[in-house]
Amino acid sequence: MSNDQKLEAKYGLFTAISMVIGQVIGSGIFFKVDDVLVATQGNVLAGLLGFLIVGISVVFAGISMANYAELLPKDGGILSYVNYRFGKTASYFVGWMYMSLFYPSLTAVLFTVSGIYIAHLLAEFMNFEPTNLHYVLIGFVNLVIFFFINIFRPKSSGIFQQMTTVLKVLPLIFIASLGILSLVKGDVSQVNTFTQAGSGLQNQSFILLVAASFIPISFAFDGWYIATQISGEIKNSSKNLPKALIIGTLSVMVIYIAYYLGVVFRMSGAEIIQLKDTYITEFARKIASNSGALIMQLFIIISVLGTSNGLLLATIRVPYQFSNLEKSKKFLNLSNVDEKTKMPVNSAVFGTLLITFYLLIYYFTNTHPFFTEKNFDLSAIPILFIYLVNVALFIGLFQLFRKKTFSKNSFFRKMMTIIAVFGNILVIFGTVTSPNGLTYFVITIFFLLGGFLLMRRI
């Protein structure tokens, strides 16, 4: 085995699109709607504008990122893009952040969320009260199961990704249809409409309420770029990956906004805030009694597991990609690809251990009073980081435009990139000015400084 081994191209266009849609549509939209309304103090219109602003920024980000995907159709994804545009040192630090914080922490959060919904489903039939310990233990079991599937049956993992993408979209479309039907029939109370836009302001401006919604909404939209992590394993990547980024992000924006409207037209903001993460179960119970609630829970579990699997699929490859960076110190043979499985097994084991570490950290921050009293959100830290990286990449496109690197649609590409930069800066502003926003930023800086420990001087 040698360090220049290449991963096999085994995924087609539909799998790439399902990676984009599947990584965005997951637990986020289900368990972040109540957080959006908490952030906006129950203001439904502020939440809608938040979804529109973040959604548009994500779509144009996908269009802009497609420029890099077209130029660099190889494994590495955003790491390759950063290296191409800003050099080896910049790509090293992004790779370090990916390996040490971004992917393992997000994957840990998603597997814990899978534990939340599975525990509550089991509680419907068993006499126990789900706790954070149940959530993390079930999440860990799910992590181990999907780890072995990705190592020994990677193609089965791709098939599962396609299947869950289709299944997870169905309840969202159903809920969106219910809300639209209610609006057409006039079966929407005044408290559920946007005539109450000024309610719940509590000495805070409407603009700040919209900005406050950016953190939970950004989490719900996060993950569209993860398909770039397997670009070297996508067939005809230079054409299929840009198509997947554009089609996927646009589809998600439409589905999310329709879903949000479907929910708030049938339940009041105050009711959603009170029910928290279980609001969607009660929503289904109202529509179709207990059987409907059970079916909805099963759909959500499938959705969360699909997203968790996709994140794991990327996470286990990140140490492999980091180790192959020229500025990285070589350790644990992370750059090796196993001849039998055609997978970077050492990288996968190391990535899974990091996820396990963050499972414990996430459990601690959700149970210790110091963090719970401050509403500390571990998932907000990697979201802030990736938006900073994306903005830098999009700004970096303008020099490529000046060099006429792209022969077609130059004006269109520039306009799309300008909108992407503006939209992403808005999201960063909303994140930093929110409660704990400065703390998240400081933690990000400390992690970046930690990257010097494994940096090779060449």
Side-chain angles (χ1 to χ4, degrees), residues 102-129:
F102 183 79
Y103 279 106
S105 63
L106 283 183
T107 307
V109 170
L110 266 295
F111 272 108
T112 302
V113 172
S114 75
I116 291 174
Y117 287 111
I118 291 174
H120 280 283
L121 176 63
L122 294 175
E124 297 272 349
F125 305 98
M126 303 168 65
N127 186 23
F128 78 99
E129 184 68 28

Side-chain angles (χ1 to χ4, degrees), residues 199-240:
S199 65
L201 292 181
Q202 298 181 6
N203 299 321
Q204 191 169 358
S205 73
F206 181 74
I207 293 176
L208 289 179
L209 288 181
V210 175
S213 72
F214 290 166
I215 287 182
I217 294 174
S218 295
F219 183 93
F221 272 99
D222 187 59
W224 58 269
Y225 45 81
I226 289 176
T228 65
Q229 288 299 114
I230 61 166
S231 55
E233 298 169 78
I234 296 175
K235 299 173 183 177
N236 197 11
S237 181
S238 61
K239 293 183 179 180
N240 285 337

Side-chain angles (χ1 to χ4, degrees), residues 72-246:
L72 304 166
K74 61 181 180 180
D75 61 284
I78 290 179
L79 280 180
S80 293
Y81 309 160
V82 173
N83 182 59
Y84 172 79
R85 183 59 192 85
F86 300 110
K88 299 174 184 178
T89 301
S91 65
Y92 165 82
F93 279 105
V94 172
W96 160 255
M97 292 294 286
Y98 271 4
M99 184 182 72
S100 65
L101 173 68
F102 183 79
Y103 279 106
S105 63
L106 283 183
T107 307
V109 170
L110 266 295
F111 272 108
T112 302
V113 172
S114 75
I116 291 174
Y117 287 111
I118 291 174
H120 280 283
L121 176 63
L122 294 175
E124 297 272 349
F125 305 98
M126 303 168 65
N127 186 23
F128 78 99
E129 184 68 28
T131 66
N132 282 290
L133 183 59
H134 293 116
Y135 305 154
V136 73
L137 289 176
I138 294 173
F140 177 72
V141 171
N142 291 337
L143 169 64
V144 172
I145 292 171
F146 281 96
F147 166 79
F148 283 106
I149 291 175
N150 275 281
I151 290 297
F152 297 107
R153 292 289 186 272
K155 291 187 179 180
S156 298
S157 176
I159 293 172
F160 179 77
Q161 201 63 35
Q162 296 178 23
M163 180 190 71
T164 56
T165 297
V166 174
L167 291 177
K168 69 175 65 176
V169 169
L170 293 179
L172 295 176
I173 294 175
F174 173 70
I175 292 171
S177 301
L178 287 176
I180 294 170
L181 183 62
S182 297
L183 184 63
V184 172
K185 293 172 60 178
D187 187 24
V188 180
S189 63
Q190 187 180 24
V191 73
N192 292 69
T193 65
F194 303 124
T195 58
Q196 299 297 307
S199 65
L201 292 181
Q202 298 181 6
N203 299 321
Q204 191 169 358
S205 73
F206 181 74
I207 293 176
L208 289 179
L209 288 181
V210 175
S213 72
F214 290 166
I215 287 182
I217 294 174
S218 295
F219 183 93
F221 272 99
D222 187 59
W224 58 269
Y225 45 81
I226 289 176
T228 65
Q229 288 299 114
I230 61 166
S231 55
E233 298 169 78
I234 296 175
K235 299 173 183 177
N236 197 11
S237 181
S238 61
K239 293 183 179 180
N240 285 337
L241 186 52
K243 288 179 183 177
L245 290 173
I246 295 170

Side-chain angles (χ1 to χ4, degrees), residues 288-362:
S289 69
N290 289 333
S291 59
L294 178 61
I295 293 172
M296 181 60 70
Q297 284 175 294
L298 290 173
F299 269 110
I300 292 174
I301 289 170
I302 292 171
S303 175
V304 176
L305 289 176
T307 308
S308 302
N309 174 63
L311 267 173
L312 179 62
L313 190 151
T315 304
I316 61 179
R317 288 162 171 80
V318 169
Y320 162 81
Q321 293 162 354
F322 175 75
S323 182
N324 281 320
L325 296 174
E326 292 187 38
K327 289 273 188 174
S328 301
K329 290 182 180 177
K330 309 303 178 186
F331 63 102
L332 300 178
N333 292 323
L334 296 179
S335 59
N336 285 353
V337 176
D338 183 73
E339 292 180 350
K340 184 177 180 179
T341 62
K342 304 300 181 184
M343 289 289 295
V345 176
N346 290 352
S347 170
V349 172
F350 185 72
T352 303
L353 290 175
L354 287 175
I355 295 169
T356 304
F357 169 75
Y358 278 105
L359 279 172
L360 298 175
I361 295 296
Y362 192 53

Side-chain angles (χ1 to χ4, degrees), residues 396-409:
L397 280 171
F398 289 101
Q399 185 175 358
L400 301 181
F401 295 148
R402 286 194 298 270
K403 292 180 178 179
K404 301 187 184 301
T405 304
F406 304 96
S407 58
K408 298 179 181 179
N409 304 318

